[in-house]
Amino acid sequence: MNFIDVNQQISNFLNHFHHLSDEEKLTFLHFNQFHQHRPIDEILEIYVQNPDARVLKTIGEWQNFSNESFSDFHSKEGVKLWDNNGNLKEVLYDASQVILNTEISIPSSINDEPLLFIELASQVDKKIAEVQNISMEQKKLANHLALYNLFDYLGFFLDNESEYKHFISITLKSMKKIPSGERLLKVLSLANSCSSSLTYSTYPR
């Protein structure tokens, strides 16, 4: 896809967000938590091009620990990122597209650390409460989505299916209140900014 096609798909996704099924919304949220450290514009660019992408790097970054040759990358479709003027910034490739000779480090579950659970939730409340020029309703939504990012990323509910289903139910209910378009971007951006700063401090990527 080119710059125009990608932006058109992003616009359609944002404007029709309310019409997505619960499963589609959760699919996006799960995808989002893998990339929460990126600007929301980049996350959406990646999502409409490759919704299965999990760990993305440039050719040069992959070559630092991949035994796949430079020419092999050119036979594969990368994810393109552009600036606001439509100039290509970089092309990224997912881990599924390369042959690794070094394992990617993924944090283990910390779902057996209830005190950390409470502490992270408290820090989310504090960070979002300090934000200005956003409605209380949007703050509540951003707070919940930030918690979703943290809980999904850190695996709090891996051993408790009933609690996980309850949390998902609350998440879906809260997402019905998410506005479309630019306001949706603001809520997602705030949630990601908050949760990514906490995941970096807990488990640097």
Side-chain angles (χ1 to χ4, degrees):
M1 287 188 284
N2 59 34
F3 175 72
I4 295 176
D5 292 335
V6 166
N7 276 274
Q8 183 60 55
Q9 289 208 28
I10 290 173
S11 178
N12 291 339
F13 176 77
L14 292 175
N15 291 330
H16 294 86
F17 190 81
H18 278 303
H19 301 291
L20 297 179
S21 67
D22 287 347
E23 182 178 355
E24 289 171 323
K25 290 176 181 177
L26 286 174
T27 295
F28 173 72
L29 281 188
H30 186 62
F31 169 90
N32 175 72
Q33 66 90 5
F34 282 101
H35 306 282
Q36 60 184 280
H37 58 289
R38 294 182 178 277
I40 189 61
D41 291 343
E42 289 187 4
I43 293 175
L44 291 170
E45 282 184 299
I46 295 167
Y47 186 71
V48 299
Q49 294 179 76
N50 184 359
D52 295 320
R54 293 296 178 261
V55 180
L56 290 164
K57 298 181 183 294
T58 63
I59 289 177
E61 289 170 333
W62 279 126
Q63 286 180 325
N64 288 333
F65 56 96
S66 169
N67 60 11
E68 191 169 43
S69 69
F70 179 86
S71 61
D72 288 330
F73 283 100
H74 288 284
S75 66
K76 300 181 178 182
E77 186 71 23
V79 170
K80 299 179 179 66
L81 298 181
W82 294 271
D83 63 22
N84 292 332
N85 296 317
N87 300 309
L88 184 64
K89 292 193 301 185
E90 58 185 358
V91 180
L92 305 173
Y93 296 87
D94 186 55
S96 63
Q97 297 175 287
V98 300
I99 301 171
L100 302 176
N101 56 25
T102 301
E103 291 186 3
I104 297 174
S105 177
I106 299 176
S108 59
S109 168
I110 58 168
N111 62 334
D112 58 345
E113 299 184 32
L115 292 181
L116 181 56
F117 180 105
I118 296 171
E119 175 61 22
L120 288 175
S122 175
Q123 289 189 45
V124 167
D125 286 339
K126 181 177 179 181
K127 283 180 176 290
I128 292 182
E130 295 171 350
V131 177
Q132 303 297 320
N133 301 320
I134 185 172
S135 71
M136 287 301 298
E137 188 66 29
Q138 289 175 329
K139 283 186 178 182
K140 290 178 182 178
L141 294 171
N143 185 299
H144 192 81
L145 293 178
L147 291 177
Y148 178 93
N149 284 343
L150 288 167
F151 297 166
D152 198 19
Y153 176 82
L154 298 173
F156 277 120
F157 298 132
L158 290 180
D159 295 332
N160 194 321
E161 185 176 355
S162 62
E163 286 191 9
Y164 176 73
K165 288 182 176 179
H166 177 66
F167 182 71
I168 289 300
S169 175
I170 295 174
T171 299
L172 290 172
K173 183 178 180 179
S174 104
M175 292 191 73
K176 295 183 186 300
K177 303 176 183 179
I178 292 182
S180 298
E182 290 300 317
R183 288 185 297 168
L184 172 58
L185 284 180
K186 181 181 290 188
V187 171
L188 288 169
S189 182
L190 175 58
N192 286 350
S193 175
C194 178
S195 61
S196 62
S197 67
L198 294 176
T199 53
Y200 264 126
S201 62
T202 306
Y203 281 112
R205 282 182 182 263

